Amino acid sequence: MIKGFIFDLDGVITDTAEQHYVAWKKLSDQMGWQFDRELNDQLRGISRLDSIKVILDHNQIEISEEELNHLATEKNEKYVESLDEITPTDFLPGAEELLTHLRQEGFNVALGSASKNAKKVLEQLNAVRYFDVIGDGNSVSKSKPAPAIFLNGAEKMGLQPEECIVIEDAEKGIDAAKAGGFYSVGIGPQDRVGHSDLRFDEMSQATLFEIKSYFKDLF
Ligand code: B16
Ligand code: MG
């Protein structure tokens, strides 16, 4: 039986992909690296350090570990500055409704985000109150597609993976959910999250009614 839900943040609750894009773009322009929205989409759900490695690989550039850390920190400073602009109107359509229904029906709810800034984003959205457990980039060391972040969330809720549904927008996020033995709901196109158990193009379609209808034997 399903007793809990684990939410990804960027692309599920709010669309911080745009702020990540602007920060990476500023750094790339400064460094003379090629960076566009298509490459930004490949960074969905992956950690900051893995992200900079993808950008460097794409540009066929090799730098020292020290420089890599330094530049990733610089990007983060740019990103964090932009988070002050997030307000409670910045939920993706449907996200707050789903969180509210889950609260009303007494489900356990956890966050399972790769971001080390997840708490700040939830605070800006006034969304901390919807979560029993906040798992973020500081909670585990192995990032998605490893299932660690979701296993950690389930454990803190006192639940088994098969009692939880993970909601994710990233290909590697769905990989992580499957690797951990979780049920999964994918948000996005078939070529990105078609390997989830249930897929919606947009978060607004992911209502509790639709989810319950699909996984009917589990509720
Ligand atoms: P930070 P999610 C992910 O968030 C983003 O999709 C990804 O683009 C970003 O690199 C990652 O968080 C780390 O973020 O630099 O703030 O630690 O989708 O897992 O909620
Ligand atoms: Mg995401």
Side-chain angles (χ1 to χ4, degrees), residues 24 38 69 91 147 150 156 180 207 218:
W24 283 126
E38 204 183 318
N69 283 312
F91 278 98
F150 299 140
K156 287 200 174 132
T207 62
L218 297 171

Side-chain angles (χ1 to χ4, degrees), residues 96-194:
E96 193 168 22
E97 288 78 357
L98 178 57
L99 287 165
T100 302
H101 287 150
L102 292 173
R103 267 282 172 263
Q104 283 166 352
E105 298 201 12
F107 287 98
N108 289 280
V109 180
L111 188 81
S113 166
S115 176
K116 292 189 172 172
N117 299 297
K119 188 83 192 289
K120 162 85 175 162
V121 175
L122 289 186
E123 281 167 357
Q124 292 291 127
L125 290 167
N126 192 19
V128 175
R129 62 208 160 112
Y130 294 118
F131 295 90
D132 301 296
V133 172
I134 295 178
D136 62 13
N138 302 299
S139 312
V140 293
S141 53
K142 276 196 166 180
S143 54
K144 302 165 189 176
I149 186 70
F150 299 140
L151 291 171
N152 180 265
E155 194 189 322
K156 287 200 174 132
M157 292 193 288
L159 299 177
Q160 296 299 317
E162 63 272 19
E163 294 175 312
C164 304
I165 294 177
V166 168
I167 308 187
E168 252 292 351
D169 71 308
E171 183 177 356
K172 289 196 170 67
I174 297 295
D175 292 341
K178 291 175 88 97
F182 295 88
Y183 292 100
S184 60
V185 171
I187 308 297
Q190 176 74 26
D191 63 357
R192 195 171 79 207
V193 290

Side-chain angles (χ1 to χ4, degrees), residues 8-12 44-45 144 168-170:
D8 174 53
L9 180 65
D10 176 28
V12 169
R44 210 173 262 271
K144 302 165 189 176
E168 252 292 351
D169 71 308

